[in-house]
Coordinates of all heavy atoms in Angstrom, one line a residue:
M1 N -9.3 8.1 -7.2 CA -9.6 6.7 -7.4 C -8.9 5.9 -6.2 O -7.8 6.3 -5.8 CB -9.0 6.2 -8.7 CG -9.6 6.9 -9.9 SD -11.2 6.4 -10.4 CE -10.8 4.9 -11.2
L2 N -9.6 4.9 -5.9 CA -9.1 4.1 -4.7 C -9.0 2.6 -5.2 O -9.8 2.1 -5.8 CB -10.0 4.2 -3.5 CG -10.2 5.5 -2.9 CD1 -11.3 5.5 -1.9 CD2 -8.9 6.1 -2.3
I3 N -7.9 2.0 -4.7 CA -7.8 0.5 -4.9 C -7.7 -0.1 -3.5 O -6.7 0.3 -2.7 CB -6.5 0.1 -5.7 CG1 -6.5 0.8 -7.1 CG2 -6.4 -1.4 -5.8 CD1 -5.1 0.6 -7.8
A4 N -8.6 -0.9 -3.1 CA -8.6 -1.6 -1.8 C -7.9 -2.9 -2.0 O -8.3 -3.7 -2.9 CB -10.0 -1.7 -1.2
V5 N -6.9 -3.2 -1.2 CA -6.2 -4.5 -1.4 C -6.5 -5.4 -0.2 O -6.3 -5.0 1.0 CB -4.6 -4.2 -1.4 CG1 -3.9 -5.5 -1.6 CG2 -4.3 -3.2 -2.5
F6 N -7.0 -6.6 -0.5 CA -7.4 -7.6 0.5 C -6.5 -8.8 0.5 O -6.0 -9.2 -0.5 CB -8.9 -8.0 0.3 CG -9.9 -6.9 0.4 CD1 -10.2 -6.1 -0.6 CD2 -10.4 -6.6 1.7 CE1 -11.2 -5.1 -0.5 CE2 -11.3 -5.6 1.8 CZ -11.7 -4.8 0.7
L7 N -6.4 -9.4 1.7 CA -5.9 -10.8 1.8 C -7.1 -11.7 1.9 O -7.9 -11.6 2.8 CB -5.0 -10.9 3.1 CG -4.6 -12.3 3.4 CD1 -3.7 -13.0 2.3 CD2 -3.7 -12.3 4.7
D8 N -7.2 -12.7 0.9 CA -8.3 -13.6 0.9 C -7.8 -14.8 1.8 O -7.0 -15.6 1.4 CB -8.5 -14.1 -0.5 CG -9.6 -15.1 -0.7 OD1 -10.1 -15.7 0.4 OD2 -10.1 -15.3 -1.8
H9 N -8.4 -14.9 3.0 CA -8.0 -16.0 3.9 C -8.3 -17.4 3.4 O -7.6 -18.3 3.9 CB -8.6 -15.7 5.3 CG -7.9 -14.6 6.0 ND1 -6.8 -14.8 6.8 CD2 -8.2 -13.3 6.1 CE1 -6.4 -13.7 7.3 NE2 -7.2 -12.7 6.9
S10 N -9.2 -17.5 2.5 CA -9.5 -18.8 2.0 C -8.4 -19.3 1.1 O -8.3 -20.5 0.8 CB -10.8 -18.9 1.2 OG -10.7 -18.2 0.0
L11 N -7.5 -18.4 0.6 CA -6.4 -18.8 -0.3 C -5.1 -18.7 0.4 O -4.0 -19.0 -0.2 CB -6.4 -17.9 -1.5 CG -7.7 -18.0 -2.4 CD1 -7.6 -17.0 -3.5 CD2 -7.9 -19.4 -3.0
S12 N -5.0 -18.1 1.6 CA -3.8 -17.9 2.3 C -3.1 -19.1 2.8 O -3.8 -20.0 3.3 CB -4.0 -16.9 3.5 OG -2.9 -16.7 4.2
Y13 N -1.8 -19.2 2.7 CA -1.1 -20.4 3.2 C 0.0 -20.1 4.2 O 0.4 -20.9 5.0 CB -0.6 -21.3 2.1 CG 0.7 -20.8 1.5 CD1 1.9 -21.5 1.8 CD2 0.7 -19.7 0.6 CE1 3.1 -21.0 1.2 CE2 1.9 -19.3 0.1 CZ 3.1 -19.9 0.4 OH 4.3 -19.5 -0.2
D14 N 0.5 -18.8 4.2 CA 1.5 -18.4 5.1 C 1.4 -16.8 5.2 O 1.6 -16.1 4.3 CB 2.9 -18.7 4.6 CG 4.0 -18.3 5.5 OD1 4.2 -17.1 5.7 OD2 4.7 -19.2 6.0
R15 N 0.9 -16.4 6.4 CA 0.6 -15.0 6.6 C 1.8 -14.1 6.3 O 1.6 -13.0 5.7 CB 0.0 -14.7 8.0 CG -0.5 -13.3 8.2 CD -1.2 -13.1 9.5 NE -1.5 -11.7 9.6 CZ -2.5 -11.1 9.0 NH1 -3.4 -11.8 8.3 NH2 -2.7 -9.8 9.2
T16 N 2.9 -14.5 6.8 CA 4.1 -13.6 6.6 C 4.4 -13.4 5.1 O 4.6 -12.3 4.6 CB 5.3 -14.2 7.3 OG1 5.0 -14.3 8.7 CG2 6.6 -13.3 7.1
K17 N 4.4 -14.6 4.4 CA 4.8 -14.5 2.9 C 3.7 -13.8 2.2 O 3.9 -13.1 1.2 CB 5.0 -15.9 2.4 CG 6.4 -16.4 2.8 CD 6.7 -17.7 2.0 CE 6.4 -18.9 2.8 NZ 6.8 -20.2 2.2
D18 N 2.4 -14.0 2.6 CA 1.3 -13.3 1.9 C 1.5 -11.8 2.1 O 1.3 -11.0 1.1 CB 0.0 -13.8 2.5 CG -0.4 -15.2 2.1 OD1 0.2 -15.7 1.1 OD2 -1.2 -15.8 2.8
A19 N 1.8 -11.4 3.3 CA 2.0 -9.9 3.6 C 3.1 -9.4 2.7 O 3.1 -8.3 2.2 CB 2.2 -9.7 5.1
Q20 N 4.2 -10.2 2.6 CA 5.4 -9.7 1.8 C 4.9 -9.6 0.3 O 5.3 -8.6 -0.4 CB 6.5 -10.7 1.9 CG 7.2 -10.7 3.3 CD 8.2 -11.8 3.5 OE1 8.3 -12.7 2.6 NE2 8.9 -11.7 4.5
A21 N 4.2 -10.6 -0.1 CA 3.8 -10.6 -1.6 C 2.8 -9.4 -1.8 O 2.9 -8.7 -2.9 CB 3.1 -11.9 -1.9
I22 N 1.9 -9.1 -0.9 CA 1.0 -8.0 -1.0 C 1.8 -6.7 -1.0 O 1.5 -5.8 -1.9 CB -0.1 -8.0 0.1 CG1 -1.0 -9.2 -0.2 CG2 -0.8 -6.7 0.1 CD1 -1.9 -9.6 1.0
G23 N 2.8 -6.6 -0.2 CA 3.6 -5.3 -0.2 C 4.3 -5.2 -1.5 O 4.4 -4.0 -2.0
A24 N 4.9 -6.2 -2.0 CA 5.5 -6.2 -3.4 C 4.5 -5.8 -4.4 O 4.8 -5.0 -5.3 CB 6.2 -7.5 -3.7
C25 N 3.3 -6.4 -4.4 CA 2.3 -6.1 -5.3 C 1.9 -4.6 -5.3 O 1.8 -3.9 -6.3 CB 1.1 -6.9 -5.1 SG -0.3 -6.6 -6.1
I26 N 1.8 -4.1 -4.1 CA 1.4 -2.6 -3.9 C 2.5 -1.8 -4.5 O 2.3 -0.8 -5.2 CB 1.1 -2.3 -2.5 CG1 -0.2 -3.0 -2.0 CG2 0.9 -0.8 -2.3 CD1 -0.5 -2.9 -0.5
Q27 N 3.8 -2.1 -4.2 CA 4.9 -1.4 -4.7 C 4.9 -1.3 -6.2 O 5.1 -0.3 -6.9 CB 6.2 -1.9 -4.2 CG 7.5 -1.2 -4.7 CD 7.5 0.2 -4.0 OE1 7.2 0.4 -2.9 NE2 7.9 1.2 -4.8
N28 N 4.6 -2.5 -6.9 CA 4.5 -2.5 -8.3 C 3.3 -1.6 -8.8 O 3.5 -1.0 -9.9 CB 4.3 -4.0 -8.8 CG 5.6 -4.7 -8.7 OD1 6.7 -4.2 -8.8 ND2 5.5 -6.0 -8.6
M29 N 2.2 -1.6 -8.1 CA 1.1 -0.7 -8.5 C 1.6 0.7 -8.5 O 1.3 1.5 -9.4 CB 0.0 -0.8 -7.5 CG -0.8 -2.1 -7.6 SD -2.2 -1.9 -6.4 CE -2.6 -3.6 -6.2
L30 N 2.3 1.1 -7.4 CA 2.8 2.5 -7.2 C 3.8 2.9 -8.4 O 3.7 3.9 -8.9 CB 3.5 2.7 -5.9 CG 2.6 2.5 -4.6 CD1 3.5 2.6 -3.4 CD2 1.5 3.5 -4.6
L31 N 4.6 1.9 -8.7 CA 5.6 2.2 -9.8 C 4.9 2.4 -11.2 O 5.2 3.2 -11.9 CB 6.6 1.0 -9.9 CG 7.6 0.9 -8.8 CD1 8.4 -0.4 -8.9 CD2 8.5 2.1 -8.7
L32 N 3.8 1.5 -11.4 CA 3.1 1.6 -12.7 C 2.3 3.0 -12.7 O 2.3 3.7 -13.7 CB 2.1 0.5 -12.8 CG 1.2 0.6 -14.0 CD1 2.0 0.5 -15.3 CD2 0.1 -0.5 -14.0
I33 N 1.7 3.3 -11.6 CA 0.9 4.6 -11.5 C 1.9 5.7 -11.8 O 1.5 6.6 -12.6 CB 0.2 4.7 -10.1 CG1 -0.9 3.6 -10.0 CG2 -0.3 6.1 -9.9 CD1 -1.4 3.4 -8.6
H34 N 3.0 5.7 -11.2 CA 4.0 6.8 -11.4 C 4.5 6.8 -12.9 O 4.6 7.9 -13.5 CB 5.2 6.6 -10.5 CG 6.3 7.6 -10.7 ND1 6.2 8.9 -10.3 CD2 7.5 7.5 -11.3 CE1 7.3 9.5 -10.6 NE2 8.1 8.7 -11.3
A35 N 4.7 5.6 -13.5 CA 5.2 5.5 -14.8 C 4.2 6.1 -15.8 O 4.6 6.6 -16.9 CB 5.5 4.0 -15.2
V36 N 2.9 6.1 -15.5 CA 1.9 6.6 -16.5 C 1.6 8.1 -16.1 O 0.7 8.7 -16.7 CB 0.6 5.8 -16.6 CG1 1.0 4.4 -17.1 CG2 -0.1 5.7 -15.2
G37 N 2.4 8.7 -15.2 CA 2.3 10.1 -15.0 C 1.3 10.5 -13.9 O 0.9 11.7 -13.7
L38 N 0.8 9.5 -13.2 CA -0.2 9.8 -12.1 C 0.6 9.8 -10.7 O 1.7 9.4 -10.7 CB -1.3 8.8 -12.1 CG -2.2 8.8 -13.4 CD1 -3.2 7.6 -13.3 CD2 -2.9 10.1 -13.5
G39 N -0.1 10.2 -9.7 CA 0.4 10.2 -8.4 C -0.4 9.2 -7.5 O -1.6 9.0 -7.8
A40 N 0.3 8.7 -6.5 CA -0.4 7.7 -5.6 C 0.1 7.8 -4.2 O 1.2 8.3 -3.9 CB -0.2 6.3 -6.1
V41 N -0.7 7.4 -3.3 CA -0.2 7.3 -1.9 C -0.8 5.9 -1.3 O -1.9 5.6 -1.5 CB -0.7 8.5 -1.0 CG1 -2.2 8.6 -0.9 CG2 -0.1 8.4 0.4
W42 N 0.1 5.3 -0.6 CA -0.2 4.0 0.1 C -0.8 4.4 1.5 O -0.2 5.0 2.3 CB 1.1 3.2 0.3 CG 1.1 1.9 1.0 CD1 0.2 1.5 1.9 CD2 2.0 0.9 0.8 NE1 0.5 0.2 2.3 CE2 1.6 -0.2 1.6 CE3 3.2 0.7 0.0 CZ2 2.4 -1.4 1.7 CZ3 3.9 -0.5 0.1 CH2 3.5 -1.5 0.9
L43 N -2.0 4.0 1.7 CA -2.7 4.3 2.9 C -2.8 3.1 3.9 O -3.5 2.1 3.6 CB -4.1 4.8 2.6 CG -4.2 6.1 1.8 CD1 -5.6 6.5 1.4 CD2 -3.5 7.3 2.5
G44 N -2.1 3.2 4.9 CA -2.1 2.1 5.9 C -3.0 2.5 7.1 O -3.6 1.6 7.8
E45 N -3.0 3.8 7.4 CA -3.8 4.2 8.6 C -5.3 3.8 8.5 O -6.0 3.7 9.5 CB -3.7 5.7 8.7 CG -2.4 6.2 9.3 CD -2.1 5.7 10.7 OE1 -3.0 5.8 11.5 OE2 -1.1 5.1 10.9
I46 N -5.7 3.6 7.2 CA -7.2 3.2 7.0 C -7.5 1.9 7.6 O -8.7 1.5 7.8 CB -7.5 3.3 5.5 CG1 -9.0 3.5 5.3 CG2 -6.9 2.1 4.8 CD1 -9.4 3.9 4.0
L47 N -6.4 1.1 8.0 CA -6.7 -0.2 8.6 C -7.4 -0.1 9.9 O -8.0 -1.1 10.4 CB -5.4 -1.0 8.7 CG -4.6 -1.3 7.4 CD1 -3.4 -2.1 7.7 CD2 -5.6 -2.1 6.5
K48 N -7.4 1.1 10.5 CA -8.2 1.3 11.7 C -9.7 1.1 11.5 O -10.4 0.8 12.4 CB -8.0 2.7 12.3 CG -6.6 3.0 12.8 CD -6.4 4.5 13.1 CE -5.0 4.8 13.5 NZ -4.8 6.2 13.4
N49 N -10.0 1.2 10.2 CA -11.5 1.1 9.8 C -11.6 -0.1 8.8 O -12.4 0.0 7.9 CB -11.9 2.4 9.2 CG -11.8 3.6 10.1 OD1 -10.9 4.4 10.0 ND2 -12.6 3.6 11.1
K50 N -10.8 -1.1 9.0 CA -10.8 -2.2 8.0 C -12.2 -2.9 7.8 O -12.5 -3.2 6.7 CB -9.7 -3.2 8.3 CG -9.8 -3.9 9.6 CD -8.9 -5.1 9.6 CE -7.4 -4.8 9.5 NZ -6.5 -5.9 9.8
D51 N -12.9 -3.0 8.8 CA -14.2 -3.7 8.7 C -15.2 -2.9 7.9 O -16.0 -3.4 7.0 CB -14.8 -4.1 10.0 CG -14.0 -5.2 10.7 OD1 -13.4 -6.0 10.0 OD2 -14.1 -5.3 11.9
R52 N -15.2 -1.6 8.1 CA -16.1 -0.6 7.4 C -15.7 -0.6 6.0 O -16.6 -0.6 5.1 CB -15.9 0.8 8.1 CG -16.9 1.8 7.5 CD -18.3 1.6 7.9 NE -19.2 2.6 7.3 CZ -20.2 2.2 6.5 NH1 -20.4 1.0 6.2 NH2 -20.9 3.1 5.9
V53 N -14.4 -0.6 5.6 CA -14.0 -0.5 4.2 C -14.4 -1.8 3.5 O -14.9 -1.8 2.4 CB -12.5 -0.3 4.1 CG1 -12.0 -0.4 2.7 CG2 -12.1 1.0 4.7
R54 N -14.2 -3.0 4.3 CA -14.6 -4.3 3.7 C -16.1 -4.3 3.3 O -16.5 -4.7 2.2 CB -14.3 -5.4 4.6 CG -14.6 -6.8 4.1 CD -14.0 -7.9 4.9 NE -14.4 -7.7 6.3 CZ -15.6 -7.8 6.9 NH1 -16.6 -8.2 6.1 NH2 -15.8 -7.6 8.2
E55 N -16.9 -3.7 4.2 CA -18.4 -3.6 4.0 C -18.7 -2.8 2.8 O -19.4 -3.1 1.9 CB -19.1 -3.0 5.2 CG -19.3 -4.0 6.4 CD -19.8 -3.2 7.6 OE1 -20.3 -2.1 7.5 OE2 -19.5 -3.7 8.7
L56 N -18.0 -1.6 2.7 CA -18.3 -0.7 1.6 C -17.8 -1.3 0.3 O -18.5 -1.0 -0.8 CB -17.5 0.7 1.8 CG -18.1 1.6 2.9 CD1 -17.1 2.7 3.2 CD2 -19.4 2.1 2.5
A57 N -16.8 -2.1 0.3 CA -16.3 -2.7 -0.9 C -17.1 -3.9 -1.3 O -16.9 -4.5 -2.4 CB -14.8 -3.1 -0.8
G58 N -17.9 -4.4 -0.4 CA -18.7 -5.6 -0.7 C -17.9 -6.8 -0.7 O -18.2 -7.8 -1.3
A59 N -16.8 -6.8 0.1 CA -15.9 -8.0 0.1 C -16.4 -9.0 1.1 O -17.1 -8.6 2.1 CB -14.5 -7.6 0.5
A60 N -16.0 -10.2 0.9 CA -16.5 -11.3 1.8 C -15.8 -11.2 3.2 O -14.8 -10.5 3.4 CB -16.1 -12.7 1.2
D61 N -16.5 -11.9 4.2 CA -16.0 -11.8 5.6 C -14.5 -12.3 5.7 O -13.8 -11.8 6.6 CB -16.9 -12.6 6.5 CG -18.2 -11.9 6.7 OD1 -18.3 -10.7 6.3 OD2 -19.1 -12.6 7.3
D62 N -14.1 -13.2 4.9 CA -12.8 -13.8 5.0 C -11.7 -13.0 4.2 O -10.6 -13.4 4.0 CB -12.7 -15.3 4.6 CG -13.2 -15.5 3.2 OD1 -13.6 -14.6 2.5 OD2 -13.2 -16.7 2.8
H63 N -12.1 -11.8 3.7 CA -11.2 -10.9 3.0 C -10.8 -9.8 4.0 O -11.6 -9.1 4.5 CB -11.8 -10.3 1.8 CG -11.9 -11.2 0.6 ND1 -12.4 -12.4 0.7 CD2 -11.6 -11.0 -0.7 CE1 -12.4 -13.0 -0.5 NE2 -11.9 -12.2 -1.3
E64 N -9.5 -9.8 4.3 CA -9.0 -8.8 5.3 C -8.3 -7.6 4.5 O -7.4 -7.9 3.7 CB -7.9 -9.5 6.2 CG -7.3 -8.6 7.2 CD -6.1 -9.2 7.9 OE1 -5.9 -10.4 7.7 OE2 -5.5 -8.5 8.7
L65 N -8.7 -6.4 4.8 CA -8.1 -5.3 4.2 C -6.7 -5.1 4.6 O -6.3 -5.2 5.8 CB -8.9 -4.0 4.6 CG -8.4 -2.7 3.9 CD1 -8.8 -2.7 2.4 CD2 -8.9 -1.5 4.6
M66 N -5.8 -5.0 3.6 CA -4.3 -4.9 3.9 C -3.8 -3.5 3.6 O -2.9 -3.0 4.3 CB -3.5 -5.8 3.0 CG -3.9 -7.3 3.2 SD -3.7 -7.9 4.9 CE -1.9 -8.2 5.0
A67 N -4.5 -2.7 2.7 CA -4.1 -1.4 2.4 C -5.1 -0.8 1.4 O -5.9 -1.5 0.8 CB -2.7 -1.3 1.8
V68 N -5.0 0.5 1.3 CA -5.7 1.2 0.2 C -4.7 2.0 -0.5 O -3.9 2.7 0.1 CB -6.9 2.1 0.7 CG1 -7.5 2.9 -0.4 CG2 -8.0 1.2 1.3
V69 N -4.8 2.0 -1.8 CA -3.9 2.9 -2.7 C -4.8 3.9 -3.3 O -5.8 3.6 -4.0 CB -3.2 2.1 -3.8 CG1 -2.4 3.0 -4.7 CG2 -2.2 1.0 -3.1
A70 N -4.6 5.2 -3.0 CA -5.3 6.3 -3.6 C -4.4 6.9 -4.7 O -3.2 7.0 -4.5 CB -5.6 7.4 -2.6
F71 N -5.0 7.1 -5.9 CA -4.2 7.6 -7.0 C -5.0 8.6 -7.8 O -6.3 8.6 -7.8 CB -3.6 6.5 -7.9 CG -4.6 5.7 -8.7 CD1 -4.8 6.0 -10.0 CD2 -5.4 4.7 -8.1 CE1 -5.8 5.3 -10.8 CE2 -6.3 4.0 -8.8 CZ -6.5 4.3 -10.2
G72 N -4.3 9.4 -8.5 CA -5.0 10.4 -9.4 C -4.0 11.4 -10.0 O -2.8 11.1 -9.9
F73 N -4.5 12.4 -10.5 CA -3.5 13.4 -11.1 C -2.8 14.1 -9.9 O -3.5 14.6 -9.0 CB -4.3 14.4 -12.0 CG -4.8 13.8 -13.2 CD1 -6.2 13.4 -13.3 CD2 -4.0 13.5 -14.3 CE1 -6.7 12.8 -14.4 CE2 -4.5 12.9 -15.4 CZ -5.8 12.5 -15.5
P74 N -1.5 14.2 -10.0 CA -0.8 14.8 -8.8 C -1.0 16.3 -8.8 O -1.3 17.0 -9.8 CB 0.7 14.5 -9.1 CG 0.7 14.1 -10.5 CD -0.6 13.7 -11.0
A75 N -0.9 16.9 -7.5 CA -1.0 18.3 -7.4 C 0.0 19.0 -8.2 O 1.1 18.5 -8.3 CB -0.9 18.6 -5.9
E76 N -0.3 20.2 -8.7 CA 0.7 20.9 -9.5 C 1.7 21.6 -8.6 O 2.9 21.7 -8.9 CB 0.0 22.0 -10.3 CG -0.8 21.3 -11.5 CD -1.4 22.2 -12.4 OE1 -1.1 23.4 -12.4 OE2 -2.3 21.8 -13.2
N77 N 1.3 22.0 -7.4 CA 2.2 22.6 -6.5 C 2.7 21.6 -5.5 O 2.2 21.3 -4.5 CB 1.6 23.8 -5.7 CG 1.2 24.9 -6.6 OD1 1.8 25.2 -7.5 ND2 0.0 25.5 -6.3
L78 N 3.8 20.9 -5.9 CA 4.3 19.8 -5.1 C 5.0 20.3 -3.9 O 5.7 21.2 -3.9 CB 5.3 18.9 -5.9 CG 4.6 18.1 -7.1 CD1 5.7 17.4 -7.8 CD2 3.6 17.2 -6.6
V79 N 4.6 19.6 -2.7 CA 5.3 19.9 -1.5 C 6.5 18.9 -1.4 O 6.2 17.7 -1.6 CB 4.4 19.7 -0.3 CG1 5.1 20.0 1.0 CG2 3.2 20.6 -0.4
K80 N 7.7 19.3 -1.1 CA 8.8 18.4 -1.1 C 8.7 17.5 0.1 O 8.4 18.0 1.2 CB 10.1 19.2 -1.0 CG 11.4 18.4 -1.1 CD 12.4 18.9 -2.1 CE 13.7 18.1 -2.2 NZ 13.5 16.7 -2.5
G81 N 8.9 16.2 -0.1 CA 8.8 15.2 1.0 C 10.0 15.4 2.0 O 11.0 16.1 1.7
K82 N 9.9 14.7 3.1 CA 11.0 14.7 4.1 C 11.8 13.4 4.1 O 12.3 13.0 5.1 CB 10.5 15.0 5.5 CG 9.8 16.4 5.6 CD 9.2 16.6 7.0 CE 8.4 17.8 7.0 NZ 7.4 17.8 8.1
R83 N 11.8 12.7 3.0 CA 12.4 11.4 2.9 C 13.9 11.5 3.1 O 14.5 12.4 2.6 CB 12.1 10.8 1.5 CG 12.4 9.4 1.4 CD 12.1 8.9 0.1 NE 10.7 9.0 -0.3 CZ 10.2 9.0 -1.5 NH1 11.1 8.9 -2.5 NH2 8.9 9.1 -1.8
K84 N 14.5 10.5 3.9 CA 15.9 10.5 4.0 C 16.6 10.1 2.7 O 16.0 9.4 1.9 CB 16.3 9.4 5.0 CG 16.0 9.7 6.5 CD 16.5 8.6 7.4 CE 16.1 8.9 8.8 NZ 16.4 7.7 9.7
A85 N 17.8 10.6 2.6 CA 18.6 10.2 1.4 C 18.9 8.7 1.5 O 19.0 8.2 2.6 CB 19.9 11.0 1.4
L86 N 19.0 8.1 0.3 CA 19.3 6.6 0.3 C 20.4 6.2 1.2 O 20.4 5.2 1.9 CB 19.5 6.2 -1.1 CG 19.1 4.8 -1.5 CD1 17.7 4.4 -1.1 CD2 19.3 4.5 -3.0
E87 N 21.5 7.0 1.1 CA 22.7 6.7 1.9 C 22.4 6.7 3.4 O 23.2 6.1 4.2 CB 23.8 7.7 1.6 CG 24.2 8.0 0.2 CD 23.2 8.9 -0.5 OE1 23.0 10.1 0.0 OE2 22.5 8.5 -1.5
Q88 N 21.4 7.4 3.9 CA 21.1 7.4 5.3 C 20.2 6.2 5.7 O 20.1 5.9 6.9 CB 20.3 8.7 5.6 CG 21.1 10.0 5.5 CD 20.2 11.2 5.8 OE1 19.4 11.6 4.9 NE2 20.3 11.7 7.0
A89 N 19.6 5.6 4.7 CA 18.7 4.5 5.0 C 19.3 3.1 4.8 O 18.9 2.1 5.4 CB 17.4 4.6 4.2
I90 N 20.4 3.0 4.0 CA 21.0 1.7 3.7 C 22.4 1.7 4.1 O 23.2 2.6 3.9 CB 20.9 1.5 2.1 CG1 19.5 1.4 1.7 CG2 21.7 0.2 1.8 CD1 19.3 1.3 0.2
I91 N 22.8 0.6 4.9 CA 24.2 0.5 5.3 C 24.8 -0.6 4.5 O 24.2 -1.7 4.4 CB 24.2 0.1 6.8 CG1 23.6 1.2 7.7 CG2 25.6 -0.2 7.3 CD1 23.3 0.8 9.1
C92 N 25.9 -0.3 3.9 CA 26.6 -1.3 3.0 C 28.0 -1.6 3.6 O 28.8 -0.7 3.8 CB 26.7 -0.7 1.6 SG 27.3 -1.9 0.5
R93 N 28.3 -2.9 4.0 CA 29.6 -3.3 4.5 C 30.2 -4.3 3.5 O 29.5 -5.2 3.1 CB 29.4 -3.9 5.9 CG 28.8 -3.0 6.9 CD 29.5 -3.1 8.2 NE 28.8 -2.4 9.2 CZ 28.7 -1.0 9.4 NH1 29.3 -0.3 8.5 NH2 28.0 -0.5 10.4
K94 N 31.5 -4.1 3.3 CA 32.2 -5.1 2.5 C 33.1 -6.0 3.3 O 33.6 -5.6 4.3 CB 33.1 -4.3 1.4 CG 32.2 -3.5 0.4 CD 33.1 -2.9 -0.6 CE 32.2 -2.0 -1.5 NZ 33.0 -1.2 -2.4
Ligands
FMN101 C1 2.9 0.5 4.8 C2 2.7 2.0 4.5 C3 1.6 2.6 5.0 C4 1.4 4.0 4.8 N1 0.3 4.6 5.2 C5 0.1 5.9 5.0 C6 -1.1 6.6 5.5 O1 -2.0 6.0 6.0 N2 -1.2 7.9 5.2 C7 -0.2 8.6 4.6 O2 -0.4 9.8 4.4 N3 0.9 8.0 4.2 C8 1.1 6.7 4.4 N4 2.2 6.1 3.9 C9 3.3 6.9 3.3 C10 2.9 7.3 1.9 O3 2.5 6.3 1.1 C11 4.2 8.0 1.2 O4 5.2 7.1 1.2 C12 4.5 9.2 2.1 O5 3.5 10.1 1.9 C13 5.9 9.8 1.7 O6 5.9 10.3 0.4 P1 7.2 11.1 -0.1 O7 8.4 10.3 0.2 O8 6.9 11.3 -1.6 O9 7.1 12.4 0.6 C14 2.4 4.7 4.1 C15 3.5 4.1 3.6 C16 3.7 2.7 3.8 C17 4.9 2.1 3.2

C-alpha cells in the first residue's frame, strides 16, 4: 500500500514550516504503522518522478509531491539495518 503526501500550494504560507510539519506528519504515520504491527518505508527518491506520481494520483497541479510512504506486512527474514547508535548521532553538552 502507498500513501502519497502532497503540499497543497493553495494552502501553504511558509514553505520551511510546511516541510517541517509534513516531515512530522510522516514520522507520526510511520510510528502508527509500526504500532499496529506493520512495516513502512519513507520514499524520498521517488521525488525524481514527482510530476508522474501527481498525475497517477489525480492530484491538482498546485499539489507538490513531498514523499511516498510504502507500508505493508514486514518481511519475515529481517535484514539488520546499518543505522548508527543514538550516541553516535546525538551530541549532548552540559
Ligand atoms: C527524507 C527521507 C527519505 C528517504 N527516502 C528513501 C528512499 O527513497 N528509499 C529508501 O530505500 N529509503 C529511504 N529512506 C530511508 C528509509 O525510510 C529508512 O529509514 C531506511 O530504509 C533505514 O531503515 P532502517 O534504519 O530500519 O534500516 C528515506 C528516509 C528519509 C528520512
Side-chain angles (χ1 to χ4, degrees):
M1 302 281 282
L2 300 171
I3 301 170
V5 181
F6 293 93
L7 171 59
D8 180 347
H9 284 275
S10 71
L11 299 174
S12 174
Y13 78 106
D14 181 294
R15 185 172 174 81
T16 302
K17 284 189 266 185
D18 291 338
Q20 291 172 350
I22 288 168
C25 174
I26 293 171
Q27 183 66 42
N28 284 334
M29 288 185 200
L30 297 174
L31 291 170
L32 177 66
I33 291 166
H34 177 75
V36 298
L38 297 174
V41 63
W42 180 333
L43 298 174
E45 285 298 309
I46 201 164
L47 296 182
K48 291 173 184 161
N49 302 105
K50 59 167 63 173
D51 290 336
R52 182 74 184 119
V53 175
R54 184 172 45 72
E55 284 169 22
L56 288 170
D61 287 351
D62 59 357
H63 283 48
E64 178 187 357
L65 184 71
M66 301 301 279
V68 170
V69 176
F71 69 98
F73 293 99
E76 289 184 15
N77 297 324
L78 290 178
V79 179
K80 185 131 177 60
K82 295 176 188 160
R83 193 181 297 159
K84 285 182 182 175
L86 206 54
E87 309 79 60
Q88 293 177 280
I90 296 177
I91 299 167
C92 186
R93 302 226 188 281
K94 290 183 185 171

